[in-house]
Amino acid sequence: MTRQAAPYSGLARAGFDDFERARAGLARLAEASEVGAPELLEALTAAADPDEALATLERLAERAPAELRRVLQRPASAERAARLLGASRGLGEFFLRNPDELALLEREPEPPLGEREARAVLVGALDERGDGPVEPEAAARAIRLRYRRLLAGIAVYDLTRASAIEAVDTIAAGLADLAGAALDAALVAARRLVGRGPGEAAAPGRYPAEEVAATRFAVIGMGKAGARELNYLSDVDVIFVAESADEERLAQGRAVEIATRLAVVASRLIDDAGIEPPLWEVDANLRPEGKDGALVRTLDSHVQYYERWAKSWEFQALLKARPLAGDAELGARYLAALSPMVWASSGREGFVESVQQMRERVTQHIPADEVDVQLKLGPGGLRDIEFTVQLLQLVHGASDDEIHQRGTLPALGALASRGYVGREEAAEFAHDYRLLRVLEHRLQLSRLRRTHLMPRDESELRVLARASGLARNAAELTALWQATRQRVRGLHERLFYRPLLSAVAALPASGLELTSAQAEARLAAIGFRDPKGALGHIAALTAGVSRRATIQRHLMPVLISWFAEGADPDYGMLAFRRLSDTLGTTHWYLRLLRDSSDAALRLTRVLSGSRFVGELLERSPESVAWLEDLDELRPRSLAALREESSAVLARHGEVEAAAKVLRAIRRREVLRLALAAILDVCSVEELGHGLSDVTENHLATTVAAIRRGEDGHDDGDGIEFAVIGMGRFGGRELGISSDADVIYVYRPAALEGDAAHRVALRIVSELGRLTEDARLPFELDADLRPEGRNGVMVRSLEAYRAYYARWSLTWEAQALLRARGVAGDAALLDDFRELADGVRYPASIAEQAVREVKRIKARVENERLPQNADPARHLKLGRGSLSDVEWFVQLIQLQHAASVPALRTTSTLDALQAAVDAGLVAADDAETLRAAWIFASRARSALTLWLDRTTDVLPVERTQLEGVARLMGYPPGSAARLEQDYLQLTRRARAVFDRDFYGIEPGREPTR
């Protein structure tokens, strides 16, 4: 036969690395097999590692030329040989040890045998040895040879499929069935080795054959073996259970002793060193008490252990348990006894958290240099998917038998069909799980070694890419794997840490299904004041067969419990129903409720704690999406607000249309800040800044819309115009629903006199009209203007200058301490600030003016406090409250700001700190005042959030006080504690105020 050397181009296309060695090897193999080099090269093109496949074929040609020749002379079997030997050096070594097994490659690939068929083949290998004495080494070799023959058949079938991903389920199940068959065969051999017949001499570890026969013994498969999703080379996790078939003939203790010997011998037949290498490790460490526990127990002993001592992770391990080998009836009774405990285990205290922490510990124990290449345990690996699915099963399986599945993929399918997991997420998880399993299979098949580490070497990655069929080269495979990891990790974090799980797991089983009478009683018991009404909302949300209703039914038990933890669960449930009626069929809303970490909990928290937010959310339901990401609740910068509002003006030329959108923006941003305040995303100072920025932007943009004319073009209105923020608005200290204190100023430009004044009055009038909002009231309060309510609404800059020069009173200079330009023409704002600085920061202040400030403060306390209001409970004007701190700071500013530039600020707290830095106030006193101011500010906003109306009096009624307390972060039942804290803080602040403002030395506080 003429032999031709393979061309280099053909070797390159086939994937060879060493061309010279490949050409020489092909020539030698062609000569030995009597098959042409081109035909051999064609077959080797199918190999993942053609260099490895060729080298093994050459060795086989030397060892078994006739057997190999039969394989290579048929193109189909030659290709099968190349695929197998190019993907598995381990099976190549098996054929080299046992060349007669090469006949396997001549047959068409077939699907893996079922468990019964595989058991018959392996036990048959023992029977083929005849009726003579059984030798351990011979029995082990017979089982291992037959096992590896079947394993090679599975590998050939696997490697010849068009899609490894589509085949992986079949392969994993076949490997698990083969492992079970191997254990069954090992048990048959063990019984023969351990039992001694009549007349045989006694020996250690051997028992009368009739006693061995009377010992019932079952092997429970755990982990991947139990779930029928085994790898090519995994440890096989097992638990052993035994009992006497007849206690009159064989005591239970004796049966356990014999079963223990059977377990040891059977395991050694599988995993001890021998002529034919061991198959895999039989790992019984998941048994009760682990390595320290008895290797074999009776069924009663197992039950007692799991009832009394088992940890949460042990129930999770039992999720995949199934009878794998031995006595099937005993194995079935084992499952029947323990399964109810498994599905009830999620009700144990801290169960979900313990499972989550276990997953984190697994990740933390990965060596640092392996984290990025760990296919199984690393972030985004197989264990992320498995832990996620198992946790979802255990929590929801307590009340839903449909998801009682052992396998990861069947369980995932059941979770999706029952609405616990989104269909899209389930499909992604399933595909990615199969992909990762294919990579794991190919890694282990390569050398028949247990590994879960992705190769770092490029050539090894290339071989893995070809063997799996998932990519053409190392770079493509790496990109595919990294993308899969990221996708899996993202899904894992959304589903695994879903706080819904903890709450569902904590509910008693009876709480998951609500009937009218029982449900009303339960709702009343957990805090609903109108349980019948709440039940009506629940029924409306969960009725029907739609996917929305299905998901709501799954979520409702935990949502009810979360609403009950709020201060007003009835309103929370009502508001939730309204939202769900509006958004219930929206895909993102259902997905957010079910899958978003923390979002559902946050929603129940804000709805059951704030009528203010509930009403705004009903008008802006799409804002619920913010709850998925707390960063969405951060206060937006003034620049960002200005940019958006400017775009509105550019789109809407007509002032009414623009104003309508601007009002919606204000409502949206106030809602954002209200949510941020409730969920502790921002401090009270940040809240004040954020609300002030929203108000400033609203005024500035509305003024711009008014002044540009009806046609939308800014042709000038003949004047300069500006709005000056005063009070808490000027200080950037607004609270929820605070009025905006302002004054208005203009300066004639093209127009003069009355004409200019009329234009300014028109702007002010239009500003009030266009900012009025029935949905979220907005009040512009100009009472701090010169002469107060008796003064003209808007003045020119020169009129202000003349007034302050001749008529200004001390209180008006004090009011200007908070003045800050917020809208209008920049030049006019600068000039007004210069004018105000000359008034509010005098070079000196007369003692009479200081006395006047103190006199007015005393008058405010006596006359402006509402009738019958308790001075100790008024948050704004009461003793030690906001006004005390603000007047204290403002007097210091009037006295010292001229010489201490840091005091020239509109912020109360900044000025207070500047006073400390300048040595004007003791640090301890400043901290006392600061604490009272912050507490009162928080309580004032909390009252508005709770009641959806503005009030400045700390409630006396316990329910109202409790609602405020909860919004301020107090635990349930803290109404009295809130009251005590407020009274204590303000009493101390008042003592500082009386001493340093009025000059009154406080009396000694009673000792506690």
Side-chain angles (χ1 to χ4, degrees):
M1 180 178 292
T2 302
R3 304 294 177 211
Q4 296 179 348
Y8 287 123
S9 59
L11 297 173
R13 283 194 301 271
F16 282 97
D17 275 343
D18 190 330
F19 292 173
E20 293 300 332
R21 180 178 295 177
R23 291 186 73 182
L26 278 169
R28 289 191 296 270
L29 184 59
E31 183 174 353
S33 65
E34 301 180 358
V35 178
E39 288 78 10
L40 292 173
L41 180 60
E42 181 66 24
L44 287 165
T45 301
D49 186 350
D51 297 273
E52 176 65 31
L54 178 57
T56 304
L57 286 170
E58 284 194 81
R59 294 172 65 193
L60 285 168
E62 294 174 2
R63 183 75 184 273
E67 290 87 346
L68 182 63
R69 191 176 299 119
R70 288 195 298 272
V71 171
L72 295 181
Q73 286 180 344
R74 293 178 55 221
S77 57
E79 181 182 323
R80 288 194 286 270
R83 287 184 182 275
L84 183 61
L85 300 177
S88 178
R89 178 180 296 184
L91 287 173
E93 296 293 336
F94 167 67
F95 287 124
L96 285 166
R97 293 191 303 270
N98 307 280
D100 52 330
E101 299 289 347
L102 283 168
L104 165 75
L105 298 172
E106 299 179 50
R107 298 190 291 271
E108 287 293 324
E110 295 181 351
L113 296 178
E115 194 168 11
R116 288 185 179 180
E117 294 82 359
R119 183 185 187 280
V121 171
L122 267 67
V123 173
L126 295 173
D127 295 338
E128 289 174 6
R129 307 194 62 84
D131 298 328
V134 179
E135 294 296 331
E137 179 61 37
R141 187 169 188 275
I143 293 171
R144 295 174 189 183
L145 282 175
R146 196 60 55 88
Y147 175 92
R148 286 204 169 94
R149 178 192 297 174
L150 296 179
L151 181 69
I154 292 175
V156 171
Y157 180 82
D158 188 5
L159 293 166
T160 54
R161 296 309 92 197
S163 169
I165 288 180
E166 292 179 5
V168 71
D169 297 5
T170 300
I171 300 304
L175 291 168
D177 292 343
L178 182 57
L183 283 168
D184 253 329
L187 276 177
V188 170
R191 286 185 180 275
R192 295 176 184 178
L193 289 166
V194 171
R196 56 180 172 83
E200 288 189 59
R206 299 199 71 194
Y207 300 88
E210 63 273 15
E211 291 188 357
V212 174
T215 300
R216 303 187 68 177
F217 183 59
V219 181
I220 307 300
M222 306 288 283
K224 284 182 163 51
R228 297 187 76 226
E229 50 192 26
L230 202 60
N231 302 325
Y232 275 98
L233 200 83
S234 287
D235 294 348
V236 174
D237 296 312
V238 298
I239 287 178
F240 299 122
V241 59
E243 67 179 16
S244 169
D246 185 350
E247 290 193 57
E248 293 184 0
R249 295 170 50 204
L250 182 69
Q252 291 286 18
R254 180 71 164 175
V256 169
E257 180 185 341
I258 294 171
T260 301
R261 181 61 182 167
L262 291 174
V264 169
V265 172
S267 298
R268 288 175 178 172
L269 292 173
I270 298 290
D271 60 21
D272 257 10
I275 298 173
E276 181 65 21
L279 301 181
W280 22 260
E281 181 182 353
V282 179
D283 188 344
N285 289 333
L286 291 178
R287 65 186 184 270
E289 300 180 84
K291 293 180 180 179
D292 298 327
L295 183 62
V296 179
R297 292 174 180 254
T298 63
L299 177 55
D300 286 344
S301 177
H302 277 286
V303 170
Q304 290 173 16
Y305 173 82
Y306 285 104
E307 284 179 340
R308 299 182 61 186
W309 309 110
K311 298 180 175 64
S312 294
W313 71 264
E314 292 178 282
F315 291 105
Q316 184 183 0
L318 284 172
L319 183 66
K320 295 181 177 295
R322 72 178 174 99
L324 187 63
D327 192 312
E329 191 275 336
L330 177 58
R333 284 195 284 118
Y334 175 92
L335 285 190
L338 296 185
S339 286
M341 298 185 211
V342 172
W343 298 111
S345 63
S346 64
R348 294 159 62 99
E349 183 176 356
F351 172 81
V352 173
E353 290 78 6
S354 71
V355 175
Q356 292 171 340
Q357 291 164 7
M358 183 194 302
R359 175 65 188 115
E360 295 301 327
R361 285 196 297 271
V362 168
T363 303
Q364 291 166 6
H365 290 161
I366 302 172
D369 63 338
E370 293 184 3
V371 171
D372 292 334
V373 292
Q374 248 291 352
L375 190 67
K376 178 180 179 181
L377 303 178
L382 287 160
R383 191 54 58 87
D384 271 355
I385 298 175
E386 291 163 355
F387 262 76
T388 300
V389 172
Q390 289 168 28
L391 181 56
L392 288 165
Q393 278 186 278
L394 287 167
V395 170
H396 295 299
S399 60
D400 191 341
D401 294 347
E402 295 295 321
I403 55 175
H404 292 188
Q405 307 285 338
R406 296 188 184 93
T408 301
L409 293 173
L412 189 55
L415 288 165
S417 68
R418 300 291 290 172
Y420 299 109
V421 175
R423 287 185 289 262
E424 292 179 8
E425 285 85 351
E428 281 188 37
F429 245 10
H431 177 271
D432 292 340
Y433 184 70
R434 291 186 173 101
L435 187 149
L436 294 173
R437 291 301 308 276
V438 167
L439 291 175
E440 183 183 40
H441 279 189
R442 295 299 184 267
L443 283 172
Q444 296 186 356
L445 181 61
S446 176
R447 297 179 185 272
L448 290 185
R449 292 179 185 169
R450 185 170 178 267
T451 180
H452 300 97
L453 300 180
M454 287 287 285
R456 292 184 172 91
D457 180 76
E458 184 174 351
S459 63
E460 292 181 10
L461 282 167
R462 179 178 59 83
V463 170
L464 180 58
R466 289 166 61 99
S468 64
L470 298 174
R472 293 172 296 180
N473 52 49
E476 282 187 10
L477 182 66
T478 299
L480 176 65
W481 178 50
Q482 294 297 343
T484 302
R485 287 182 69 199
Q486 292 177 7
R487 194 162 53 245
V488 168
R489 191 60 180 174
L491 283 168
H492 167 73
E493 288 172 348
R494 288 211 310 273
L495 300 180
F496 189 85
Y497 293 101
R498 227 181 351 176
L500 288 176
L501 302 180
S502 296
V504 171
L507 287 171
S510 61
L512 293 176
E513 296 181 1
L514 302 174
T515 59
S516 296
Q518 294 174 338
E520 285 186 28
R522 179 177 181 269
L523 290 170
I526 61 177
F528 283 84
R529 289 183 289 276
D530 179 15
K532 187 173 183 179
L535 192 59
H537 300 320
I538 295 167
L541 287 164
T542 58
V545 295
S546 66
R547 184 167 179 79
R548 165 198 165 181
T550 300
I551 291 173
Q552 293 278 24
R553 280 195 294 273
H554 291 323
L555 298 178
M556 192 51 63
V558 60
L559 293 176
I560 292 168
S561 70
W562 280 345
F563 281 126
E565 291 172 4
D568 191 351
D570 297 88
Y571 178 78
M573 184 64 75
L574 170 63
F576 179 72
R577 179 182 174 182
R578 289 172 176 170
L579 269 178
S580 295
D581 286 344
T582 303
L583 296 173
T585 58
T586 308
H587 173 72
W588 66 263
Y589 176 67
L590 293 174
R591 184 174 175 276
L592 177 141
L593 288 178
R594 185 191 58 221
D595 297 341
S596 175
S597 65
D598 297 333
L601 174 58
R602 291 170 186 147
L603 180 60
T604 59
R605 179 177 168 186
V606 299
L607 293 180
S608 61
S610 173
R611 288 178 176 260
F612 180 89
V613 165
E615 297 302 312
L616 280 183
L617 272 178
E618 186 178 350
R619 298 185 180 106
S620 180
E622 67 280 357
S623 302
V624 171
W626 295 337
L627 298 174
E628 192 168 10
D629 182 1
L630 289 180
D631 285 341
E632 292 286 344
L633 300 181
R634 298 294 308 170
R636 297 178 68 200
S637 68
L638 181 59
L641 294 170
R642 287 278 173 88
E643 182 179 1
E644 180 185 14
S645 298
S646 297
V648 170
L649 295 186
R651 288 195 306 272
H652 299 279
E654 205 274 322
V655 65
E656 298 286 349
K660 182 178 180 181
V661 178
L662 294 175
R663 290 194 296 270
I665 290 175
R666 171 180 168 265
R667 289 194 298 270
R668 183 195 68 201
E669 295 306 319
V670 170
L671 172 58
R672 187 193 308 273
L673 291 164
L675 290 169
I678 295 171
L679 297 173
D680 301 320
V681 174
C682 66
S683 65
V684 68
E685 296 100 317
E686 291 173 317
L687 175 65
H689 292 169
L691 289 168
S692 300
D693 286 347
V694 169
T695 302
E696 179 176 340
N697 174 70
H698 189 47
L699 290 176
T701 317
T702 306
V703 167
I706 294 168
R707 298 185 66 196
R708 69 182 178 174
E710 295 182 2
D711 58 359
H713 294 90
D714 190 358
D715 299 323
D717 51 15
I719 66 170
E720 292 178 75
F721 181 85
V723 182
I724 310 299
M726 304 290 283
R728 292 174 71 84
F729 178 30
R732 299 187 75 215
E733 298 162 352
L734 286 179
I736 300 291
S737 286
S738 291
D739 295 345
D741 291 317
V742 294
I743 59 176
Y744 305 107
V745 59
Y746 74 94
R747 179 161 54 192
L751 298 178
E752 295 288 344
D754 289 344
H757 189 235
R758 283 195 298 272
V759 171
L761 284 173
R762 183 188 70 82
I763 295 172
V764 171
S765 175
E766 283 294 277
L767 184 61
R769 183 180 71 82
L770 292 173
T771 57
E772 186 177 351
D773 191 347
R775 295 182 177 182
L776 181 61
F778 182 71
E779 184 173 347
L780 291 169
D781 187 342
D783 287 353
L784 292 176
R785 65 188 183 272
E787 301 180 85
R789 296 180 181 178
N790 297 320
V792 294
M793 181 61 71
V794 57
R795 294 173 183 253
S796 70
L797 181 64
E798 291 307 313
Y800 275 106
R801 193 185 310 278
Y803 177 85
Y804 287 130
R806 294 188 61 188
W807 309 108
S808 176
L809 300 175
T810 303
W811 74 263
E812 292 172 313
Q814 183 181 351
L816 284 175
L817 287 169
R818 314 291 291 279
R820 176 176 63 89
V822 296
D825 295 299
L828 180 57
L829 290 170
D830 289 341
D831 290 344
F832 184 89
R833 182 177 65 252
E834 183 180 351
L835 169 62
D837 285 351
V839 178
R840 60 188 172 184
Y841 307 137
S844 63
I845 182 170
E847 183 61 32
Q848 181 181 356
V850 172
R851 287 198 299 271
E852 178 67 7
V853 171
K854 296 178 180 179
R855 185 190 68 78
I856 294 174
K857 175 65 170 79
R859 181 180 172 186
V860 166
E861 291 181 15
N862 290 329
E863 297 179 5
R864 289 191 57 193
L865 200 66
Q867 189 175 7
N868 299 324
D870 183 351
R873 306 182 77 87
H874 202 282
L875 299 168
K876 183 178 180 181
L877 303 176
R879 293 192 291 266
S881 64
L882 293 171
S883 70
D884 276 5
V885 178
E886 290 166 1
W887 282 67
F888 178 94
V889 170
Q890 289 161 18
L891 180 57
I892 291 174
Q893 289 180 287
L894 289 171
Q895 291 173 314
H896 302 285
S899 58
V900 182
L903 285 170
R904 299 171 193 172
T905 173
T906 61
S907 166
T908 300
L909 295 184
D910 288 351
L912 183 60
Q913 184 58 50
V916 173
D917 296 340
L920 301 173
V921 178
D924 289 348
D925 289 343
E927 181 54 37
T928 297
L929 295 171
R930 181 179 186 277
W933 189 92
I934 288 177
F935 197 98
S937 296
R938 291 184 65 209
R940 201 166 176 231
S941 284
L943 267 169
T944 302
L945 289 170
W946 168 247
L947 297 170
D948 192 27
R949 58 182 172 83
T950 302
T951 180
D952 290 320
V953 180
L954 193 69
V956 175
E957 201 272 321
R958 296 291 99 176
T959 300
Q960 306 300 339
L961 200 59
E962 174 72 12
V964 175
R966 297 296 299 279
L967 283 168
M968 293 180 67
Y970 284 86
S974 296
R977 180 179 161 193
L978 164 67
E979 186 176 52
Q980 179 182 356
D981 287 349
Y982 175 75
L983 294 175
Q984 186 178 69
L985 282 170
T986 53
R987 185 172 62 248
R988 292 173 178 172
R990 182 66 181 196
V992 173
F993 179 81
D994 281 343
R995 185 190 68 219
D996 292 348
F997 186 87
Y998 285 132
I1000 301 172
E1001 287 296 329
R1004 293 183 60 189
E1005 291 188 20
T1007 57
R1008 293 182 178 276

